[in-house]
């Protein structure tokens, strides 16, 4: 009897374990999601400082890396999603960026005119909906994110500047879409891909990966004539 | 008197000259641009060539999906134009600008109907199928169009395209400025709504001009001190600012006079009070009368002889 009871208890504990495993959510992810949903009141007036005085202000105020409490933010504001919603939110590693850049004024470039306001206000306080007729020179939140991130990534030659470098697209689960035999060979896999992604397949045939010569966006001057390589001088087993 | 070829041309030349030297009509040409229109400001320094505007345009206007919508590389190998399947396209230009790593910096330029303040196509359209709306959009009404394609010839930007593939109900196709969306409150054109970097700013044209001037003034090292479309062909609803000369990104150098000004002035002064047809037929009538008289004189003695 005791053995049976013990067995049942064990099962219950296991079951509870499974249940909690299913509902367990990463607390920081949940916090980030909650925070992303918040819309803060719009800051109309800002203090028009130059970047150097802004930097000095921030140093004077004693803002340092230790003040960065949140490790990352999800850039998933309803302000943006109201108009268009194509991509998954970007996970912006705030603390990491703060540590790498080591200059808060790069992003926190202005502050609200109200003296009681935080020195480092969040982006969405000043940048909200695009094309606000009352503040025509103020760019919207989406543009603010994109301009700020991409410009800096380009300047520093670090970090992604393409769409999917930061965003994940809404990709359907391919487990349901693709039916492959057990232990498929590469040709079967390629065939399965091409069933839907035929344009990508055709695109591939025009690239340097297939032709061994062609446009190479990352060479100086975008030269098309590659002097050496599999297309010309090197041995080619195809 | 025989009417020789030479005589005929002499008369016609005289008649033509009298038309040409006539002073222009007392009513000077006036712009018919509606006040306080909407517009868009395209900032070429902000465009990253993501081609999302092409995609949004196709979705909003029910057009086929743009050619290789996700491609941001080899698609730019060829220079594309808006056509009957795409109201707007993005092209890439290398204008010799290099970044700090000596890598050539591309400039992306969006092409679409500029929605001129005094559109040449509206002036050229003989049935009024094209109209300049109060929103600023140049709207095309397929039910009035007879397919003469004068608008395509008239457009200084060579924008209107024609559905040549459709023999029964072809349409002239060009950017609609999302007329239906922007006439609603808070409505945005599809391309401006999706643009991730706000390279396309939508708003009232006057406001946009102020914004543009502010940007040019605050960043004189970045921008050329010229707003393309502020004065070109009398002003356009879509305007561009750029860091590279506009002719290098395929925006044609155009005069400041509105395209319809010359043609409409000539037409209106020629046909005001129908004076030119009256003059022409008067001259021809007088000429014929004189010829008849001379014929009469020459023929009479012969008749008397018989």
């Amino acid at each position: 009897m005791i053995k049976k009871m013990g067995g049942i208890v064990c099962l219950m504990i296991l079951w509870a374990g499974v249940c909690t495993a299913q509902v367990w959510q990463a607390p920081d992810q949940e916090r980030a999601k909650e925070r992303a949903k918040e819309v803060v009141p719009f800051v109309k007036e800002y203090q028009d400082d130059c970047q150097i005085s802004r930097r000095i202000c921030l140093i004077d105020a004693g803002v340092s890396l230790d003040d960065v409490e949140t490790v990352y933010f999800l850039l998933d504001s309803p302000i943006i999603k109201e108009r268009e919603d194509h991509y998954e939110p970007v996970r912006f590693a705030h603390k990491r960026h703060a540590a790498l850049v080591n200059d808060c004024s790069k992003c926190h470039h202005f502050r609200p005119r109200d003296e009681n306001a935080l020195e480092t206000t969040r982006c969405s306080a000043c940048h909200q909906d695009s094309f606000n007729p009352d503040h025509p020179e103020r760019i919207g939140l989406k543009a603010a994110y994109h301009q700020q991130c991409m410009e800096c990534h380009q300047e520093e030659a670090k970090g992604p500047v393409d769409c999917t470098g930061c965003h994940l697209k809404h990709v359907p689960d391919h487990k349901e879409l693709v039916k492959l035999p057990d232990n498929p060979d590469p040709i079967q896999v390629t065939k399965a891909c091409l069933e839907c992604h035929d344009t990508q397949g055709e695109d591939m045939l025009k690239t340097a990966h297939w032709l061994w010569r062609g446009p190479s966006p990352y060479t100086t001057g975008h030269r098309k004539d590659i002097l050496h390589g599999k297309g010309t001088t090197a041995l080619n087993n195809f | 008197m025989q009417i020789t070829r030479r005589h005929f041309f002499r008369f016609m030349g005289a008649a033509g000259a009298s038309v040409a030297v006539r002073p222009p009509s007392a009513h000077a040409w006036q712009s018919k641009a509606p006040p306080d229109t909407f517009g868009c400001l395209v900032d070429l320094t902000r465009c990253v060539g993501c081609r999302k505007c092409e995609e949004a345009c196709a979705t909003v206007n029910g057009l086929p999906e743009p050619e290789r919508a996700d491609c941001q590389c080899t698609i730019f190998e060829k220079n594309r134009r808006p056509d009957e399947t795409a109201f707007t396209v993005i092209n890439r230009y290398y204008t010799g600008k290099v970044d700090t790593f000596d890598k050539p910096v591309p400039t992306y330029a969006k092409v679409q109907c500029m929605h001129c303040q005094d559109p040449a196509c509206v002036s050229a359209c003989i049935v009024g199928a094209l109209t300049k709306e109060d929103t600023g959009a140049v709207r095309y009404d397929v039910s009035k169009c007879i397919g003469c394609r004068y608008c395509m010839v008239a457009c200084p930007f060579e924008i209107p395209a024609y559905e040549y593939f459709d023999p029964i109900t072809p349409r002239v196709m060009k950017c609609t400025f999302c007329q239906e969306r922007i006439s609603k409150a808070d409505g945005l054109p599809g391309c401006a709504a999706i643009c991730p970097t706000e390279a396309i700013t939508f708003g009232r044209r006057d406001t946009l001009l102020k914004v543009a001037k502010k940007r040019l003034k605050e960043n004189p090292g970045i921008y050329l001190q010229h707003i393309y479309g502020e004065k070109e062909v009398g002003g356009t609803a879509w305007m561009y600012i750029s860091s590279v000369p506009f002719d290098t990104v395929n925006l044609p150098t155009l005069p400041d006079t509105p395209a319809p000004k010359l043609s409409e002035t000539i037409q209106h002064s020629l046909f005001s009070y129908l004076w030119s047809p009256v003059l022409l037929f008067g001259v021809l009538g007088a000429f014929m009368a004189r010829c008849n008289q001379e014929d009469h004189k020459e023929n009479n003695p012969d008749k008397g002889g018989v």
Side-chain angles (χ1 to χ4, degrees):
Chain A
M1 188 66 190
I2 295 166
K3 257 187 187 174
K4 237 184 193 175
M5 286 283 279
I8 287 167
V9 168
C10 271
L11 266 174
M12 276 175 76
I13 289 168
L14 255 176
W15 179 240
V18 169
C19 278
T20 46
Q22 272 174 348
V23 293
W24 185 85
Q25 282 154 328
D28 48 352
Q29 177 78 358
E30 289 309 301
R31 270 202 302 278
K33 272 187 194 167
E34 281 305 309
R35 194 191 150 92
K37 278 183 206 152
E38 290 166 21
V39 177
V40 290
F42 184 60
V43 174
K44 281 182 190 155
E45 304 265 315
Y46 64 92
Q47 206 163 323
D48 197 358
D49 288 341
C50 71
Q51 211 208 331
I52 297 167
S53 62
R54 183 85 196 105
R55 194 174 174 185
I56 294 166
C57 265
L58 283 167
I59 294 168
D60 280 352
V63 179
S64 73
L65 198 57
D66 299 332
D67 296 313
V68 182
E69 289 162 0
T70 331
V71 177
Y72 71 91
F73 298 129
L74 282 176
L75 308 184
D76 194 24
S77 172
I79 299 168
I80 297 175
K81 293 209 294 193
E82 192 187 354
R83 293 226 189 254
E84 308 280 346
D85 187 13
H86 293 272
Y87 288 91
E88 294 280 352
V90 171
R91 201 168 130 136
F92 173 62
H94 185 221
K95 196 156 195 169
R96 206 168 146 213
H97 277 84
L100 271 172
V101 176
N102 204 13
D103 175 5
C104 304
S105 67
K106 272 232 157 169
C107 295
H108 297 280
H109 55 145
F110 291 129
R111 58 154 293 139
R113 189 160 281 172
D114 177 16
E115 294 202 346
N116 300 324
L118 257 180
E119 195 70 42
T120 51
T121 323
R122 58 167 86 181
C123 308
S124 63
C126 297
H127 299 281
Q128 297 202 340
D129 198 12
S130 317
F131 319 129
N132 183 346
D134 301 329
H135 301 273
E137 80 292 340
R138 190 90 63 91
I139 54 174
L141 183 58
K142 180 169 66 171
Y145 282 150
H146 281 108
Q147 280 189 23
Q148 187 68 41
C149 296
M150 291 173 79
E151 216 164 87
C152 197
H153 287 183
Q154 250 154 8
E155 248 170 51
E156 302 292 325
K158 215 170 186 182
V161 285
D162 55 332
C163 309
T164 46
C166 300
H167 296 275
L168 293 170
K169 217 178 172 177
H170 288 302
V171 181
D173 191 359
H174 277 60
K175 266 183 208 158
E176 306 297 319
L177 294 171
V178 183
K179 292 276 170 278
L180 277 173
D182 297 337
N183 295 327
D185 59 36
I187 289 171
Q188 280 173 320
V189 176
T190 310
K191 214 174 180 178
C193 296
L194 286 175
E195 262 173 33
C196 298
H197 302 282
D198 51 340
T199 39
Q200 279 82 350
E202 274 164 36
D203 251 13
M204 161 71 195
L205 301 184
K206 291 173 200 152
T207 63
H209 300 292
W210 183 263
L211 301 168
W212 305 122
R213 41 168 84 80
S216 38
Y218 301 108
T219 54
T220 321
H222 295 247
R223 281 186 8 225
K224 290 182 186 175
D225 51 324
I226 306 300
L227 295 178
H228 302 290
K230 286 180 180 170
T232 46
T233 48
L235 274 180
N236 194 340
N237 54 358
F238 277 89
Chain B
M1 180 191 147
Q2 290 281 4
I3 310 176
T4 59
R5 216 176 128 79
R6 192 168 292 176
H7 272 113
F8 177 74
F9 281 125
R10 204 175 284 165
F11 258 96
M12 290 309 287
S18 69
V19 169
V21 295
R22 192 184 178 278
S25 158
H27 307 288
W29 184 87
Q30 276 198 327
S31 166
K32 288 188 277 296
D36 202 22
T37 58
F38 285 116
C40 276
L41 177 70
V42 184
D43 190 334
L44 298 186
T45 63
R46 287 185 182 178
C47 180
V48 292
C50 68
R51 297 179 64 226
K52 288 286 147 200
C53 48
E54 289 184 27
E55 215 177 303
C57 178
T59 321
V60 167
N61 292 297
L63 298 170
E65 199 185 314
E67 188 185 348
R68 291 186 277 146
D70 287 333
C71 175
Q72 290 162 16
C73 188
T74 48
I75 187 80
F76 292 124
E77 290 287 301
K78 60 182 177 193
N79 201 335
R80 298 175 302 147
R81 294 287 306 169
D83 57 21
E84 68 278 7
T85 56
F87 291 163
T88 183
V89 290
I90 297 278
N91 282 316
R92 184 181 64 187
Y93 301 94
Y94 285 103
T95 53
K97 241 183 23 168
V98 286
D99 64 6
T100 42
F101 306 101
D102 271 350
K103 208 173 126 190
V105 178
T107 306
Y108 299 96
K110 184 176 184 294
V111 201
Q112 78 293 311
C113 172
M114 301 286 280
H115 297 275
C116 307
Q117 293 296 83
D118 283 296
C121 55
V122 171
S123 172
C125 184
I126 51 175
V127 290
L130 286 154
T131 43
K132 177 83 177 168
E133 299 292 316
D134 288 341
T135 52
V138 175
R139 194 169 64 92
Y140 169 70
D141 183 353
V142 69
S143 64
K144 287 184 186 161
C145 180
I146 54 168
C148 69
R149 283 160 278 154
Y150 281 6
C151 49
M152 296 171 65
V153 183
C155 178
F157 301 97
E158 301 174 13
I159 293 296
Y162 195 67
E163 291 184 323
Y164 284 105
F165 60 84
D166 186 349
I168 312 292
T169 54
R171 291 172 295 173
V172 168
M173 299 294 271
K174 67 160 206 72
C175 162
T176 59
F177 204 173
C178 292
Q179 162 70 11
E180 279 178 16
R181 286 165 61 106
I182 63 168
S183 16
K184 286 178 204 147
D186 268 354
L188 296 178
C191 52
I194 205 166
C195 181
T197 56
E198 236 167 82
I200 311 166
T201 312
F202 174 79
R204 295 275 170 196
R205 191 169 181 268
D206 301 348
T207 324
L208 290 180
L209 274 171
K210 271 183 217 150
V211 171
K213 279 174 188 158
K214 193 167 173 237
R215 264 187 232 171
L216 298 193
K217 201 181 153 203
E218 283 175 2
N219 309 290
I222 297 176
Y223 294 103
L224 286 183
Q225 295 298 314
H226 178 72
I227 305 170
Y228 187 91
E230 183 190 9
K231 296 204 179 89
E232 268 77 7
V233 287
T236 55
W238 278 71
M239 294 169 289
Y240 287 74
I241 49 175
S242 159
S243 60
V244 295
F246 292 101
D247 53 343
T248 58
V249 292
N250 222 352
L251 287 166
T253 312
L254 291 168
D256 289 352
T257 41
K261 189 174 177 182
L262 179 66
S263 56
E264 280 182 11
T265 309
I266 292 175
Q267 282 239 319
H268 292 178
S269 49
L270 267 181
F271 289 99
S272 59
Y273 308 112
L274 287 177
W275 69 269
S276 56
V278 168
L279 180 75
L280 174 67
F281 288 111
V283 167
L284 286 176
F287 177 61
M288 268 170 68
R290 212 176 122 228
C291 288
N292 278 348
Q293 246 176 17
E294 280 178 10
D295 269 4
H296 209 62
K297 269 184 201 162
E298 279 168 24
N299 291 341
N300 265 350
D302 293 345
K303 271 182 191 169
V306 176

